[in-house]
Amino acid sequence: MTMRPDHDWYPDKRPDRRSRPAPTEAGGRDDPPAGSSGERQRRDKLATIVGVATVAGVIFGVVTGIVALLPDRDEPVVAYRKQVLATCQRVHSIVTTEHNEILRPDPRPGVTNPEDMIRINKGPLLAVIRGNVSRVRTEFAQLAQQEVPEKLRQQYTAAGQAQEAWLAHYTRVAAAIEQKFRDGDTLRRLNELGLNILERGGQVDTGLNAAMTVLAGEDCRCTR
C-alpha cells in the first residue's frame, strides 16, 4: 500500500492562502487597490497623455486653419502689388523717354565746358515737364482708385506722400523755368538754377522710388 505524505510532515509545502491578494473587481489579482498610490500614478499618467494629445490636436487644427486661410488673405496683397508695379513701369517709361527736341548742340571755338556746348529750347522743355507731370499724376490717380489691402495701408500712405512731393517739385520746376530761364540758355545755366531736371537725382526722385518699392514689395523705380 502506498502511503500518502501527510501535510503535517511537510509544513513548508502547505498552501498559505493569506500570502496571495484577493482578486479585485477588475478581475486581476495583481491590480493595485483603487485607492492605492500606484493606481493614482497610473491615472495621472493617463490624464497627462490625454491632455497632451488634446493640446496637440488643438494646435494642429489651428495651424491647419491658418495655413488654409493664408492664400486667401494674401491674394488681395499680391493683386494690388501687381497694380503698383505696373504703375511704376508706366511712370518710369514716361519720365525716362528721351526728348531730343529739348537740346540744341552749339559747339564753339574756345568753349571747353560740355554744358556750355548745349543750349536748351525752353518751349519744348516746359512742354515735356508739364506733360510728364500731368501723365504721371493720372497714373497715380488711377492707382489711388484701387482698393488698398489693410496690410499695406501704412506703405500706401508713405507712397502717396512721396507721389505728392514729386508732383509738387516738378510743378515748381516748370514755374521756375518759366520765370528765370531764357530760351536758348545753356545747359550750365539750367543746372545753376538748382532744379536738377535732366539728371533726376533729387531727393524727390529717390524718395518716390523707395516708397513705391516698399509698397510693391519689389524693385519699383519710377525714375532713373
Side-chain angles (χ1 to χ4, degrees):
M1 181 175 77
T2 303
M3 294 186 63
R4 185 173 55 180
D6 195 330
H7 286 294
D8 292 339
W9 297 352
Y10 305 96
D12 57 327
K13 298 296 184 177
R14 289 182 297 175
D16 186 0
R17 300 183 183 275
R18 293 175 298 176
S19 64
R20 296 186 181 182
T24 63
E25 291 183 359
R29 291 182 175 271
D30 295 330
D31 292 339
S36 66
S37 60
E39 177 68 13
R40 287 195 300 270
Q41 290 177 359
R42 189 172 67 175
R43 290 181 178 178
D44 290 344
K45 289 181 179 179
L46 181 60
T48 301
I49 293 173
V50 172
V52 171
T54 302
V55 172
V58 171
I59 293 175
F60 178 80
V62 171
V63 172
T64 303
I66 292 175
V67 171
L69 289 174
L70 280 177
D72 293 336
R73 296 175 70 181
D74 285 344
E75 185 176 351
V77 174
V78 173
Y80 180 77
R81 281 181 159 170
K82 287 181 179 179
Q83 295 292 331
V84 176
L85 185 60
T87 299
C88 289
Q89 293 170 345
R90 290 192 295 268
V91 171
H92 185 270
S93 178
I94 292 171
V95 301
T96 60
T97 298
E98 298 291 340
H99 295 276
N100 294 327
E101 69 275 16
I102 294 175
L103 307 178
R104 186 198 316 165
D106 186 25
R108 288 163 289 158
V111 177
T112 57
N113 188 337
E115 293 184 351
D116 286 333
M117 299 180 186
I118 299 177
R119 295 188 179 277
I120 304 298
N121 295 320
K122 181 177 179 178
L125 175 60
L126 286 173
V128 168
I129 295 175
R130 289 169 174 162
N132 285 355
V133 169
S134 176
R135 293 172 64 189
V136 171
R137 189 187 303 277
T138 299
E139 291 291 343
F140 290 157
Q142 291 176 350
L143 180 62
Q145 294 175 359
Q146 304 298 321
E147 183 176 356
V148 182
E150 187 64 30
K151 292 169 64 174
L152 298 178
R153 279 288 176 184
Q154 185 174 357
Q155 296 89 327
Y156 170 78
T157 299
Q161 293 171 348
Q163 294 167 12
E164 290 300 322
W166 191 92
L167 294 169
H169 171 74
Y170 284 99
T171 298
R172 291 193 298 268
V173 165
I177 291 175
E178 181 72 56
Q179 298 174 5
K180 301 178 181 180
F181 193 75
R182 296 177 302 178
D183 182 39
D185 273 351
T186 63
L187 178 59
R188 178 172 62 84
R189 169 60 182 157
L190 183 62
N191 289 336
E192 285 176 351
L193 293 178
L195 302 178
N196 198 19
I197 299 170
L198 301 179
E199 294 182 0
R200 309 289 192 202
Q203 293 183 355
V204 291
D205 295 331
T206 302
L208 178 62
N209 291 334
M212 294 298 284
T213 293
V214 172
L215 183 60
E218 59 182 288
D219 186 33
C220 197
R221 298 180 61 84
C222 292
T223 66
R224 294 183 188 275

